[in-house]
Amino acid sequence: MRAEPDVQALRALALAARENSISAAAGLLGVSQQALSLRIRTLERELGARLLVRSTRGSRLTPAGQQVVGWAQPLLAAADSFADAARALRDDRTTTLRIAASLTIAEHLLPRWIGTWRAQVGEHGPEVQVTAANSSTVAMSVREGTADLGFVESPRTPAGLGSATVAHDTLDVVVQPGHRWARARSITVDELATTGLVLREKGSGTRQAFDAAMADAGYPDHAEPVMVQRSTLGMRSAILGGTAPGVLSSLAVADDVRAGRLARVQVDGLTMSRPLTALWAGAAPPRHARDFLDACAD
């Protein structure tokens, strides 16, 4: 006998006995009577026992058949449970779009992207679940399958994932309006490199982009930060409070700069730009995620 039982043959046998008819069981399973009879005969050959007796009055189990069907019930129940769980998983993945996004994207771009997408798919489109985290955590969520789609701000694309650039962003050095840098026309990269700043934590896209830009400018070992914050709001509050200058996304500081609460600082010879990248596992994103990416690109 084969190493594993033929679940479909056992189901066919159990149905034929329950319905007292091979043809009725075949109809329930959506197969021909001949195909179902062949499957049961194959099972009988493998077990070396007659399982079902056919007559003009219908089909009934032999004593061996009764034993086999009894043994099969837990297996068939487990198979049904597995099928139900797989169906629920499949349905959930088409009715829910799970997005993990780094903080700048989650706060400043995702709301508009989701609004555009919802207008396209209508009120019966998939529910969107958003998790905000730093870029390293976003990539890990996509790899582990807890997110269908990820968005990161890091300058380098994480290995082993599908990706597409959806937008670009720049980083700004910002200070309180009363800071001496706000009154200067510009500062040098050397001055920036030797000044303690308010920065995001290592692993965030903002920190990775800043460190990469400083390394490209010849300052891989710039000054240690005065403060490390894990959120854009925390950084903004620290800079507004006069802790130190800081480096934030231009998207995150635009309103404060327009209102005069913060001042941008020009740094001679330093360009800090980065791609904003969508990530997914596998060769292509799920269908509902592809629709969302199309909306982001519009």
Side-chain angles (χ1 to χ4, degrees):
M1 183 179 174
R2 69 181 70 191
E4 296 179 355
D6 185 342
V7 175
Q8 292 306 315
L10 293 171
R11 192 180 299 280
L13 178 67
L15 278 176
R18 190 190 75 185
E19 300 297 322
N20 195 34
S21 167
I22 289 179
S23 61
L28 291 172
L29 292 174
V31 300
S32 69
Q33 181 176 337
Q34 292 80 2
L36 189 138
S37 295
L38 177 60
R39 190 179 286 274
I40 292 176
R41 285 197 299 270
T42 301
L43 180 63
E44 289 176 328
R45 284 197 302 271
E46 290 180 346
L47 293 175
R50 188 79 176 273
L51 303 176
L52 197 68
V53 175
R54 306 161 186 85
S55 70
T56 56
R57 290 178 296 178
S59 302
R60 61 180 177 80
L61 293 172
T62 66
Q66 292 174 357
Q67 279 188 307
V68 169
V69 169
W71 297 334
Q73 291 307 319
L75 179 62
L76 295 176
D80 290 339
S81 295
F82 178 85
D84 290 342
R87 190 179 305 111
L89 176 64
R90 183 172 60 252
D91 292 345
D92 181 63
R93 289 192 171 186
T94 57
T95 59
T96 304
L97 176 58
R98 300 167 303 166
I99 297 175
S102 53
L103 298 185
T104 298
I105 296 174
E107 293 172 356
H108 299 282
L109 293 175
L110 263 185
R112 174 168 57 83
W113 290 347
I114 292 172
T116 300
W117 179 65
R118 295 295 299 179
Q120 293 176 0
V121 301
E123 62 181 14
H124 299 299
E127 173 190 346
V128 183
Q129 295 178 355
V130 177
T131 301
N134 68 33
S135 292
S136 296
T137 302
V138 169
M140 181 168 38
S141 297
V142 175
R143 285 195 185 95
E144 293 178 349
T146 57
D148 303 310
L149 201 58
F151 291 94
V152 297
E153 308 154 17
S154 49
R156 295 179 180 82
T157 303
L161 295 174
S163 65
T165 299
V166 294
H168 288 84
D169 183 30
T170 58
L171 299 183
D172 288 331
V173 178
V174 289
V175 296
Q176 276 186 319
H179 192 278
R180 59 184 178 84
W181 285 1
R183 297 188 296 274
R185 177 167 298 188
S186 63
I187 65 171
T188 64
V189 183
D190 185 74
E191 188 172 3
L192 181 67
T194 55
T195 300
L197 305 172
V198 178
L199 296 175
R200 283 288 306 279
E201 79 282 5
K202 290 183 181 294
S204 71
T206 299
R207 181 65 176 272
Q208 291 177 36
F210 174 69
D211 288 345
M214 293 300 287
D216 289 344
Y219 293 89
D221 299 318
H222 53 81
E224 287 295 313
V226 169
M227 178 181 289
V228 173
Q229 287 281 353
R230 298 187 63 86
S231 71
T232 300
L233 178 61
M235 285 190 63
R236 176 180 171 275
S237 297
I239 298 166
L240 285 169
T243 300
V247 178
L248 280 170
S249 162
S250 59
L251 294 168
V253 300
D255 289 344
D256 287 317
V257 170
R258 278 193 295 269
R261 292 185 293 267
L262 289 175
R264 284 192 177 97
V265 179
Q266 175 66 39
V267 183
D268 292 335
L270 184 67
T271 300
M272 293 187 288
S273 62
R274 58 183 176 175
L276 305 181
T277 306
L279 304 175
W280 59 84
R287 177 64 201 175
H288 57 315
R290 291 200 297 273
D291 293 340
F292 186 83
L293 285 176
D294 290 341
C296 295
D298 287 343

